[in-house]
Amino acid sequence: MLSTTKRTEINKGQHKAVFDPDQLDAIIDESLIAHIAITTESGPVIIPMLAWRVDRHIYVHGANNSRLMRNLSKGEPSCLTFTLFDGWVLARSAFHHSAHYRSAVVFGTFERVEDKQEKDQVLNHFIEHIAPGRTDHVRLSSDKELAATMVLRIPLTEASVKISCSGVNDDKSDLERPVWAGVLPYRTVVGPLEPADGLSDLPEPDYSAAYGDRWHRS
Amino acid sequence: MLSTTKRTEINKGQHKAVFDPDQLDAIIDESLIAHIAITTESGPVIIPMLAWRVDRHIYVHGANNSRLMRNLSKGEPSCLTFTLFDGWVLARSAFHHSAHYRSAVVFGTFERVEDKQEKDQVLNHFIEHIAPGRTDHVRLSSDKELAATMVLRIPLTEASVKISCSGVNDDKSDLERPVWAGVLPYRTVVGPLEPADGLSDLPEPDYSAAYGDRWHRS
């Protein structure tokens, strides 16, 4: 069970709150894009970043000389939000229109991964997550490349999850209206793979294992 | 041309910066989900919200008694980020793996839309955006529903756009490696419509005009 802290307490739409850590992990693993906030003199700034989970940490990476990475590594409180949009709820009244979505908000403080081998491992973990088996084939990172890369991690200990998936919820008095109601689903389709220019006659790899029914073959 | 302010200046990946306002509008109109930051005593919090554009303003809405809406309406600097994820770039080296995406970061200060008729209009505009023609059929909002809804808007004057779509960019020395390289595209498919329970024998509406080739029929 995810525990509730002052920051993770859900104020509105409490019926959408979910406390199952597996659901939290699933949202992070499917999104892979986190919106991350930093606070500047002129207010908050939100940057989308690639973010992936290994066990109970979330990792992000960037160039060593990136202002954003330096800012995130300062040890100030951060927030990472992951959102998957699943569709529109088209109700019989304008007022009850809404959305299906899954979202996770994670709070914590980033710390730098200093160890070169650990950096290499978590970066390769990311590639394996999006393309299973790929680290057996690509050129792995050199010492110089690893030194130019900053990896940060945040523990996955304080988080809240909201899932909205309950369909149309019209007022009783609207149910007999002659208006179509239902859900307009959004779905992400992954693939088919598009080969790079100048690729010699290599067989197309199969990464479908990572995507289930979202995978589309060419 | 989008002008550059201190907040919108792009620090890393300047070759991905885009200054065409039509591209900004297109990203907002396709996303419809904004990640919005508020600053609290315990650090920044990012909430995903429905957000839509009418001319040169972005609108969000929520319940009048929502803590988030009250916070956003206080007149402090806000940041809204829109991100569309378009796929993975699978390079020949681990280091050059990256992502295709389109993102827009908007800065400004929210103000309340007080006028009831204006509120009604922009809320209906939102429904028309996701389901063209639908406001001719649904029950429109009552005075009580409008009074319970807070609508906020932010001018679309200070924004930065980044688009990454350039494919694989390997080191020359890696080009002859026997490893498949290319792009794994992500695509959003909208539909087919899923009727609500207990819907009488009404014809399915056609909202395909709003979605182009993302639309899927049942």
Side-chain angles (χ1 to χ4, degrees):
Chain A
M1 282 280 285
L2 299 173
S3 60
T4 298
T5 65
K6 200 185 159 205
R7 288 193 291 194
T8 63
E9 196 183 345
I10 287 174
N11 182 243
K12 290 296 287 184
Q14 285 164 5
H15 59 287
K16 293 172 190 156
V18 170
F19 300 97
D20 172 2
D22 290 345
Q23 301 256 37
L24 170 66
D25 292 357
I27 291 168
I28 295 167
D29 294 350
E30 188 175 331
S31 322
L32 285 169
I33 296 283
H35 282 81
I36 304 185
I38 54 171
T39 304
T40 71
E41 277 171 28
S42 43
V45 180
I46 304 175
I47 307 287
M49 294 187 80
L50 302 176
W52 67 101
R53 184 182 65 84
V54 183
D55 299 327
R56 303 322 299 156
H57 283 89
I58 297 174
Y59 293 84
V60 298
H61 78 305
N64 245 335
N65 60 358
S66 140
R67 186 171 55 178
L68 171 65
M69 291 300 286
R70 281 201 307 265
N71 200 312
L72 290 176
S73 67
K74 280 193 297 193
E76 287 171 12
S78 286
C79 177
L80 292 79
T81 298
F82 298 82
T83 306
L84 296 162
F85 184 76
D86 293 327
W88 298 111
V89 178
L90 304 173
R92 293 168 182 87
S93 67
F95 186 73
H96 283 296
H97 279 64
S98 65
H100 278 175
Y101 63 88
R102 290 163 285 156
S103 69
V105 180
V106 178
F107 296 100
T109 301
F110 281 105
E111 60 178 6
R112 272 175 90 140
V113 175
E114 304 281 3
D115 183 70
K116 196 178 72 181
Q117 202 187 336
E118 193 183 342
K119 260 205 249 186
D120 197 31
Q121 277 172 358
V122 297
L123 289 165
N124 289 338
H125 198 287
F126 180 39
I127 292 176
E128 285 294 312
H129 184 66
I130 63 175
R134 190 161 177 83
T135 57
D136 291 341
H137 305 291
V138 295
R139 177 179 63 72
L140 297 176
S141 294
S142 67
D143 285 357
K144 200 180 153 190
E145 287 170 338
L146 285 173
T149 306
M150 194 190 296
V151 176
L152 300 173
R153 70 175 189 181
I154 198 164
L156 196 40
T157 46
E158 190 180 353
S160 67
V161 174
K162 265 176 112 172
I163 295 180
S164 172
C165 59
S166 54
V168 178
N169 179 29
D170 271 311
D171 292 342
K172 235 178 177 169
S173 53
D174 289 325
L175 291 178
E176 300 304 317
R177 287 184 181 269
V179 48
W180 191 94
V183 170
L184 179 55
Y186 275 48
R187 218 158 39 86
T188 299
V189 170
V190 179
L193 286 164
E194 297 171 353
D197 287 342
L199 195 67
S200 51
D201 213 17
L202 291 161
E204 192 178 273
D206 178 7
Y207 301 132
S208 61
Y211 297 93
D213 59 11
R214 297 190 291 149
W215 183 259
H216 271 224
R217 256 166 247 283
S218 51
Chain B
M1 282 279 287
L2 298 173
S3 61
T4 298
T5 65
K6 199 185 160 205
R7 288 194 292 195
T8 62
E9 196 182 346
I10 287 173
N11 183 242
K12 291 296 286 184
Q14 285 163 5
H15 59 287
K16 293 171 191 157
V18 170
F19 300 98
D20 173 1
D22 290 344
Q23 301 256 36
L24 170 66
D25 292 357
I27 291 168
I28 294 168
D29 295 350
E30 187 176 331
S31 323
L32 285 169
I33 296 284
H35 282 81
I36 304 185
I38 55 173
T39 305
T40 71
E41 277 171 29
S42 44
V45 180
I46 303 174
I47 308 289
M49 294 187 81
L50 302 176
W52 67 104
R53 185 182 65 84
V54 183
D55 299 327
R56 303 324 299 156
H57 282 90
I58 297 174
Y59 293 84
V60 299
H61 78 305
N64 244 336
N65 61 358
S66 139
R67 186 172 54 177
L68 172 63
M69 291 300 286
R70 279 201 307 266
N71 200 312
L72 290 177
S73 67
K74 279 193 294 190
E76 287 171 12
S78 286
C79 178
L80 291 80
T81 298
F82 298 81
T83 307
L84 295 163
F85 184 77
D86 293 327
W88 298 110
V89 177
L90 304 172
R92 292 165 181 89
S93 67
F95 185 72
H96 283 297
H97 279 64
S98 66
H100 277 176
Y101 63 88
R102 290 163 286 156
S103 69
V105 180
V106 179
F107 297 100
T109 301
F110 281 105
E111 60 178 7
R112 272 175 91 141
V113 176
E114 303 282 2
D115 183 71
K116 197 178 74 183
Q117 204 188 334
E118 193 183 343
K119 259 204 249 185
D120 198 31
Q121 276 170 359
V122 298
L123 289 165
N124 288 339
H125 198 288
F126 180 39
I127 292 176
E128 285 294 311
H129 184 66
I130 63 175
R134 190 162 177 82
T135 56
D136 292 340
H137 304 293
V138 296
R139 177 177 66 70
L140 297 175
S141 294
S142 66
D143 284 358
K144 199 179 153 191
E145 287 170 339
L146 285 174
T149 306
M150 195 191 296
V151 175
L152 300 173
R153 70 176 189 181
I154 198 165
L156 194 42
T157 45
E158 191 180 352
S160 67
V161 174
K162 266 177 111 172
I163 296 180
S164 173
C165 60
S166 53
V168 177
N169 180 29
D170 271 312
D171 292 342
K172 233 176 179 171
S173 54
D174 288 324
L175 290 177
E176 299 305 315
R177 286 185 181 270
V179 47
W180 190 95
V183 171
L184 179 55
Y186 274 48
R187 217 158 39 86
T188 299
V189 170
V190 179
L193 287 163
E194 297 172 352
D197 286 343
L199 196 67
S200 50
D201 212 17
L202 291 162
E204 193 179 273
D206 178 6
Y207 301 133
S208 60
Y211 297 94
D213 58 11
R214 298 188 293 150
W215 182 261
H216 271 224
R217 258 164 248 282
S218 51

